[in-house]
mmCIF file of all heavy atoms in Angstrom:
data_model
loop_
_atom_site.group_PDB
_atom_site.id
_atom_site.type_symbol
_atom_site.label_atom_id
_atom_site.label_comp_id
_atom_site.label_asym_id
_atom_site.label_seq_id
_atom_site.Cartn_x
_atom_site.Cartn_y
_atom_site.Cartn_z
ATOM 1 N N THR N 19 -24.413 20.118 19.945
ATOM 2 C CA THR N 19 -23.567 20.646 21.017
ATOM 3 C C THR N 19 -24.298 21.793 21.713
ATOM 4 O O THR N 19 -23.723 22.825 22.018
ATOM 5 C CB THR N 19 -22.222 21.159 20.462
ATOM 6 O OG1 THR N 19 -22.469 22.133 19.454
ATOM 7 C CG2 THR N 19 -21.402 20.026 19.886
ATOM 8 N N TYR N 84 -18.110 7.330 14.877
ATOM 9 C CA TYR N 84 -18.579 8.703 15.032
ATOM 10 C C TYR N 84 -17.513 9.507 15.755
ATOM 11 O O TYR N 84 -16.501 8.968 16.213
ATOM 12 C CB TYR N 84 -19.916 8.759 15.782
ATOM 13 C CG TYR N 84 -19.897 8.217 17.192
ATOM 14 C CD1 TYR N 84 -19.586 9.041 18.274
ATOM 15 C CD2 TYR N 84 -20.219 6.891 17.448
ATOM 16 C CE1 TYR N 84 -19.575 8.558 19.568
ATOM 17 C CE2 TYR N 84 -20.212 6.390 18.743
ATOM 18 C CZ TYR N 84 -19.891 7.225 19.793
ATOM 19 O OH TYR N 84 -19.880 6.739 21.076
ATOM 20 N N THR N 151 -4.453 -7.419 30.067
ATOM 21 C CA THR N 151 -3.769 -8.419 30.890
ATOM 22 C C THR N 151 -2.334 -8.007 31.205
ATOM 23 O O THR N 151 -1.638 -8.684 31.952
ATOM 24 C CB THR N 151 -3.736 -9.793 30.181
ATOM 25 O OG1 THR N 151 -2.879 -9.713 29.026
ATOM 26 C CG2 THR N 151 -5.136 -10.213 29.755
ATOM 27 N N ALA N 164 9.420 -6.705 12.854
ATOM 28 C CA ALA N 164 9.622 -6.625 11.406
ATOM 29 C C ALA N 164 10.497 -5.444 11.025
ATOM 30 O O ALA N 164 11.064 -5.409 9.929
ATOM 31 C CB ALA N 164 8.271 -6.532 10.694
ATOM 32 N N TYR N 182 -8.285 12.404 25.296
ATOM 33 C CA TYR N 182 -9.700 12.719 25.509
ATOM 34 C C TYR N 182 -10.060 12.696 26.992
ATOM 35 O O TYR N 182 -10.908 13.466 27.449
ATOM 36 C CB TYR N 182 -10.577 11.735 24.744
ATOM 37 C CG TYR N 182 -12.057 12.004 24.890
ATOM 38 C CD1 TYR N 182 -12.646 13.113 24.287
ATOM 39 C CD2 TYR N 182 -12.864 11.157 25.644
ATOM 40 C CE1 TYR N 182 -14.006 13.369 24.426
ATOM 41 C CE2 TYR N 182 -14.218 11.404 25.788
ATOM 42 C CZ TYR N 182 -14.784 12.509 25.180
ATOM 43 O OH TYR N 182 -16.129 12.758 25.321
#
Side-chain angles (χ1 to χ4, degrees):
T19 56
Y84 61 89
T151 68
Y182 181 71

